Amino acid sequence: MFQFVFSREYCTNNIRRKWKEFEKTLGCAEEGHPSLGDPDWASYTLGVFICLSCSGIHRNIPQVSKVKSVRLDAWDEAQVEFLASHGNDAARARFESKVPSFYYRPTPSDCQLLREQWIRAKYERQEFIYPEKQEPYSAGYREGFLWKRGRDNGQFLSRKFVLTEREGALKYFNRNDAKEPKAVMKIEHLNATFQPAKIGHPHGLQVTYLKDNSTRNIFIYHEDGKEIVDWFNALRAARFHYLQVAFPGASDADLVPKLSRNYLKEGYMEKTGPKQTEGFRKRWFTMDDRRLMYFKDPLDAFARGEVFIGSKESGYTVLHGFPPSTQGHHWPHGITIVTPDRKFLFACETESDQREWVAAFQKAVDRPMLPQEYAVEAHFKHKP
């Protein structure tokens, strides 16, 4: 059968003309919000427009999605009509009809793994059309083996992990036949965030919890991308159900932002001690909500120390630069955090680092403290 092929110019103009009828759907179908500009790629089997980054993921599932460039490829009339009669909103209505509230929807700034598994879950596995396919992360119980980094030797070893909502905990065991877990991480104080660059594996996940009111990190991964993302969403599900009980009047929209959090800022700075006469030492810093933690190495299990960043109403201030006569720093760009009890001095290597750290600190200082944060602040003040 003869198939008429449109010129690229006709294709582009025709798609644009038809697509203007669906302006609300303009943007990448996977990013959850309109792009600043029109996306230049489309799946002519799913009927969606996508950005360049997501087009690469779609190409990896050709049995489901076939992709063309709007500007560079030739299109036939049936493909143009299919796009015009479907669209991003229609695809979301079908393929995202039953996304659980707790399931993490990736943003353009998230790692490749999260974005890839979101797209595969939608179209390849159709998990959000058929809720029975969500069992791996919605059942309230999960166990399996993950590669965990040793606290002391830095080696990744296979460890058994068990997540149980009934007990409100994530546990791991050093031996397969061990009766007692090596660690019990309460869901109440647990966070998980993907850290592929830091961990050195594309599926690397950092899990953080409180032990004796101090932060403890563990670093894990699984060779199968779906497995580690299922673990991540299972942890979010457990947190969601815990918070539903703890805050019975709260809406899903109130609870979802509390399920997991990315760090406000991470990187190296120099710091000095409380007397400000000691030499400055290079440390890895992590800004986690109001906790500023510093480590000798980014993959340390425990922080060397933590600083609580309160609000301006409670007497906290962030300043560019150092107090006069400050000495001992190698890096030139200083930051001073003034608290009700003392000043903390930090040095950044570049002006852009200084600007980013000040913005992260200022974000915390400008935000009024919640009632429970005053209890955290009191603990920091009474630390030995």
Side-chain angles (χ1 to χ4, degrees):
M1 178 179 175
F2 177 75
Q3 186 178 48
F4 182 77
V5 177
F6 288 99
S7 69
R8 290 175 183 170
E9 182 179 2
Y10 178 87
C11 160
T12 299
N13 292 338
N14 202 31
I15 291 177
R16 298 293 187 200
R17 178 178 59 79
K18 288 178 177 291
W19 204 248
K20 289 302 179 183
E21 301 170 13
F22 306 93
E23 286 196 2
K24 290 183 179 180
T25 70
L26 281 174
C28 177
E30 315 311 341
E31 293 180 357
H33 58 81
S35 300
L36 294 177
D38 295 345
D40 288 333
W41 296 82
S43 168
Y44 61 88
T45 53
L46 296 172
V48 295
F49 277 79
I50 49 180
C51 66
L52 174 63
S53 177
C54 291
S55 73
I57 300 173
H58 275 253
R59 287 184 187 277
N60 289 333
I61 49 173
Q63 70 278 17
V64 175
S65 181
K66 296 189 184 298
V67 176
K68 282 187 176 183
S69 166
V70 172
R71 297 182 184 277
L72 302 177
D73 291 327
W75 292 68
D76 64 46
E77 185 175 10
Q79 291 167 348
V80 175
E81 292 295 338
F82 185 81
L83 275 171
S85 63
H86 287 73
N88 293 2
D89 280 354
R92 289 191 186 109
R94 179 187 177 195
F95 292 105
E96 298 181 24
S97 61
K98 295 179 173 63
V99 181
S101 297
F102 60 78
Y103 196 97
Y104 186 80
R105 294 172 178 261
T107 68
S109 60
D110 279 310
C111 65
Q112 174 80 3
L113 174 68
L114 275 171
R115 292 185 292 115
E116 177 184 354
Q117 289 302 316
W118 165 251
I119 290 171
R120 287 185 179 274
K122 278 176 65 173
Y123 305 117
E124 185 179 44
R125 300 190 292 269
Q126 297 190 355
E127 292 176 14
F128 312 131
I129 297 177
Y130 306 106
E132 62 270 19
K133 295 186 177 184
Q134 300 167 13
E135 192 272 341
Y137 45 82
S138 64
Y141 181 88
R142 183 177 176 89
E143 69 173 71
F145 289 88
L146 299 170
W147 292 97
K148 176 190 169 294
R149 188 179 190 272
R151 187 183 71 179
D152 300 319
N153 58 20
Q155 287 184 306
F156 281 89
L157 298 171
S158 180
R159 294 288 182 255
K160 179 182 176 182
F161 281 77
V162 175
L163 171 66
T164 166
E165 281 188 19
R166 184 174 58 82
E167 298 178 29
L170 173 68
K171 310 173 185 179
Y172 80 86
F173 299 80
N174 267 358
R175 298 190 318 275
N176 297 352
D177 60 349
K179 294 181 179 180
E180 294 298 323
K182 177 67 175 177
V184 177
M185 297 161 260
K186 289 295 185 182
I187 294 298
E188 178 184 1
H189 301 299
L190 185 144
N191 184 44
T193 180
F194 278 96
Q195 296 275 22
K198 182 197 285 191
I199 295 173
H201 192 282
H203 304 165
L205 184 69
Q206 179 174 346
V207 176
T208 303
Y209 65 102
L210 293 182
K211 183 176 181 180
D212 301 326
N213 217 16
S214 293
T215 303
R216 166 80 158 97
N217 298 318
I218 65 170
F219 303 95
I220 55 178
Y221 70 86
H222 195 286
E223 293 292 355
D224 186 292
K226 179 184 182 300
E227 283 291 312
I228 196 67
V229 173
D230 282 351
W231 271 103
F232 175 64
N233 281 300
L235 292 173
R236 285 175 56 88
R239 289 266 304 156
F240 183 63
H241 297 141
Y242 162 77
L243 291 172
Q244 283 181 315
V245 174
F247 303 98
S251 67
D252 289 1
D254 293 329
L255 299 180
V256 167
K258 304 178 187 299
L259 303 186
S260 62
R261 60 191 180 274
N262 294 324
Y263 299 133
L264 294 178
K265 171 73 177 163
E266 283 195 292
Y268 284 106
M269 290 192 292
E270 294 181 334
K271 70 170 292 293
T272 187
K275 296 180 181 179
Q276 300 173 12
T277 56
E278 307 90 333
F280 279 71
R281 292 189 174 133
K282 181 180 175 182
R283 294 288 183 258
W284 177 267
F285 285 81
T286 297
M287 182 70 178
D288 182 10
D289 198 26
R290 291 191 182 276
R291 287 177 181 257
L292 176 66
M293 299 166 283
Y294 55 92
F295 307 82
K296 188 173 182 181
D297 183 273
L299 295 178
D300 282 349
F302 290 97
R304 291 294 183 95
E306 300 187 39
V307 180
F308 181 83
I309 311 293
S311 66
K312 57 188 175 185
E313 291 84 359
S314 299
Y316 292 80
T317 310
V318 184
L319 304 172
H320 283 80
F322 296 120
S325 73
T326 301
Q327 297 179 348
H329 53 92
H330 302 93
W331 288 346
H333 304 282
I335 301 173
T336 301
I337 296 181
V338 181
T339 78
D341 300 316
R342 57 168 284 198
K343 294 179 180 179
F344 293 90
L345 308 185
F346 307 106
C348 300
E349 186 175 16
T350 67
E351 188 175 353
S352 63
D353 280 345
Q354 179 196 44
R355 189 164 52 247
E356 290 172 7
W357 276 112
V358 167
F361 296 146
Q362 196 65 52
K363 186 176 181 179
V365 168
D366 288 342
R367 191 176 77 244
M369 284 170 58
L370 300 172
Q372 59 266 34
E373 291 176 330
Y374 286 98
V376 178
E377 180 189 39
H379 168 76
F380 272 79
K381 287 182 177 180
H382 292 96
K383 268 189 174 181

